[in-house]
Amino acid sequence: MSPVNTKTSRAECLALAKLAEQAERWDDVIKQLKSVISYSDARLTMEERNLLSIAYKHVTGTLRTSWRTVEGIEKQEAASGTAMPRELVLIRCQREKIELELADACQDLLDLLDRYLVPAAEAGEERVFYHKMHVSVPSLKAYPYPAPGVSHRQGDYHRYLAEFARRQQRERSALLALEAYKASYKHAFGTLPPWHPTRLGVALNFSVFFHDVRGSPDRACHLAKHAFDEAVAAMHATPEHTFRDSLMILHLLRDDIILWSAEMQPDETRSEPTPEMM
């Protein structure tokens, strides 16, 4: 009797990843896509790239939500003055445990980008997509708290880490995220048309970085408005298959511009600087 071939093909790994997505088993999605990466010499299709991005977004998103919940409880208990010291220690330990899990998840993706995906990517949309996720970062395990990362996606995950880092590590992480976003935006600006969803996505996340991490709604608004205006002016050239995605991101940019503009209203003397991205 001949042995049964148990080796899973690339197509089967993708099918399992899609099944895991439907079941919301995000760690399994990532595991299967890592197998796809090994089969494909680190060249992923757009569908596979999007699936990888969605999986890591869910994993880190859950951890970020958990961190905010525990941190809120920690502050509330500390302010009330009724919590026992041992209770506060337990809450702090749980928060720090979540921080380490978040750092590990972000570092896992950044390593995947640095070692395989970015080096194999072609110039243009593929590289911009990964740059949205990355920039070389030192091991996050070297820090007591997570530090931020770089690339559009590198930039995204360094930004996530910057949200939770303490002062010194936060500043270093924010600088790494800034460099990643700058590189990603510059590459997108030079290789993709203004209406392209990936280019718009870079602009959206870069502007969120300026607002949330840098605390600069004026820079965030300036960058978002520049991307919005250029895309609207070129929308007549948008292919039908990307029109809906582009329009969705334009709506998000518009909503952020309105929100951030309202934040700046009380300060009528504020000038509009040029964003530090070129």
Side-chain angles (χ1 to χ4, degrees):
M1 183 175 179
S2 60
V4 176
N5 183 7
T6 58
K7 185 174 176 62
T8 309
S9 69
R10 173 176 176 166
E12 289 171 334
C13 288
L14 180 58
L16 288 171
K18 290 180 179 179
L19 180 62
E21 178 193 21
Q22 293 178 353
E24 297 186 359
R25 292 177 59 85
W26 304 111
D27 288 335
D28 287 346
V29 174
I30 292 169
K31 178 182 177 181
Q32 294 301 329
L33 288 173
K34 284 181 177 179
S35 295
V36 172
I37 289 170
S38 68
Y39 272 111
S40 64
D41 293 328
R43 295 299 309 281
L44 300 181
T45 65
M46 183 181 294
E47 179 186 31
E48 292 162 351
R49 294 198 300 269
N50 286 332
L51 191 54
L52 184 71
S53 176
I54 290 168
Y56 275 104
K57 284 277 190 182
H58 276 282
V59 169
T60 57
T62 299
L63 289 168
R64 293 166 74 202
T65 299
S66 299
W67 186 91
R68 291 191 182 99
T69 299
V70 174
E71 192 218 21
I73 294 171
E74 182 180 14
K75 288 181 177 179
Q76 182 179 350
E77 292 297 321
S80 70
T82 60
M84 299 295 290
R86 177 61 179 169
E87 292 177 352
L88 291 175
V89 169
L90 291 173
I91 295 171
R92 186 182 71 247
C93 288
Q94 185 63 25
R95 171 177 55 76
E96 292 175 351
K97 179 176 181 291
I98 296 169
E99 288 172 356
L100 290 174
E101 290 179 11
L102 176 60
D104 286 343
C106 291
Q107 187 65 59
D108 184 54
L109 175 59
L110 293 171
D111 287 345
L112 203 60
L113 289 162
D114 280 330
R115 295 177 61 188
Y116 304 109
L117 298 175
V118 172
E122 289 187 349
E125 180 187 5
E126 187 178 357
R127 188 168 296 172
V128 170
F129 185 94
Y130 292 140
H131 270 305
K132 261 175 94 183
M133 293 168 108
H134 165 291
V135 151
S136 283
V137 292
S139 173
L140 299 176
K141 294 179 180 178
Y143 299 98
Y145 296 96
V150 197
S151 131
H152 158 47
R153 304 280 178 201
Q154 276 179 312
D156 290 350
Y157 286 88
H158 283 301
R159 171 163 59 87
Y160 298 160
L161 290 168
E163 291 173 0
F164 306 102
R166 293 303 179 258
R167 184 172 180 178
Q168 183 177 356
Q169 289 77 28
R170 174 186 169 90
E171 197 52 39
R172 187 174 189 283
S173 295
L175 287 172
L176 287 171
L178 176 61
E179 290 305 314
Y181 278 124
K182 285 166 64 176
S184 178
Y185 192 89
K186 190 170 184 178
H187 189 72
F189 195 90
T191 60
L192 301 175
W195 47 259
H196 200 288
T198 302
R199 174 167 162 171
L200 287 171
V202 174
L204 175 65
N205 289 11
F206 197 3
S207 61
V208 169
F209 164 82
F210 274 124
H211 181 271
D212 291 0
V213 176
R214 285 302 197 192
S216 181
D218 48 359
R219 291 179 181 175
C221 197
H222 180 87
L223 193 156
K225 189 174 186 307
H226 181 265
F228 181 90
D229 290 345
E230 283 204 328
V232 168
M235 281 300 282
H236 63 279
T238 309
E240 184 177 350
H241 68 279
T242 64
F243 185 85
R244 181 179 296 180
D245 290 341
S246 298
L247 192 61
M248 181 184 68
I249 301 175
L250 283 172
H251 282 309
L252 294 173
L253 283 167
R254 181 201 60 190
D255 291 346
D256 284 343
I257 291 167
I258 293 172
L259 179 64
W260 297 336
S261 296
E263 289 181 16
M264 295 186 290
Q265 286 304 311
D267 187 0
E268 297 179 355
T269 63
R270 187 193 298 262
S271 60
E272 186 180 79
T274 302
E276 304 168 1
M277 61 186 175
M278 301 303 288

